[in-house]
Amino acid sequence: PAVPNSTGAAGVMSLGGSNISELGSLDLQASGLPLDTFGFFIASNASDLVPMPGGSLGTLCLGGPISRFAEPGEIGNSGSTGAFSLEIDPGVLPGPLGPIVPAFGERWHFQAWHRDANPTVGSNFTAGVTIRIF
């Protein structure tokens, strides 16, 4: 479970769309976030449990090489709703050394990182989710 953020509740990560790579549409959604804060989605094909990485207030649920959706147009802002989302192609994911094409049946783990001020300026994570790519 995610560590509560400055709203007093934990951030939520959810998925919409399809995990079928040929359909090319998976919607990553982060909600329950502080208002008007920046964040981005991260992904890995390995899971882990790392409390307070790099001084963050939250817990990182990903392991191994971690992909970031932090290119222009991919960084979100929670605005007045406390949420942001990003539509991605599950057949091609960003990798630390370039694009990754997930293998059929591979499990991928997603989470959102976001700025937070609880009690001082820092960062936090939503809960993580896992899907199998087909």
Side-chain angles (χ1 to χ4, degrees):
V3 173
N5 58 44
S6 56
T7 68
V12 176
M13 173 79 196
S14 57
L15 302 172
S18 176
N19 62 335
I20 299 173
S21 59
E22 291 87 31
L23 297 179
S25 182
L26 182 63
D27 191 36
L28 309 177
Q29 304 159 2
S31 60
L33 307 178
L35 301 181
D36 220 14
T37 192
F38 288 97
F40 57 85
F41 295 101
I42 55 179
S44 177
N45 62 357
S47 64
D48 203 346
L49 190 63
V50 183
M52 300 171 54
S56 173
L57 302 168
T59 301
L60 178 63
C61 297
L62 309 180
I66 296 175
S67 302
R68 295 184 292 178
F69 295 90
E71 293 295 321
E74 294 179 337
I75 297 173
N77 185 297
S78 63
S80 62
T81 63
F84 62 85
S85 64
L86 177 67
E87 187 174 319
I88 66 164
D89 177 354
V92 181
L93 302 173
L97 301 174
I100 296 171
V101 176
F104 181 85
E106 203 169 62
R107 289 182 191 269
W108 275 80
H109 312 277
F110 295 88
Q111 194 170 15
W113 171 91
H114 63 89
R115 292 304 243 164
D116 197 10
N118 189 18
T120 60
V121 176
S123 65
N124 205 334
F125 296 91
T126 62
V129 296
T130 301
I131 64 165
R132 190 170 289 216
I133 305 288
F134 292 103

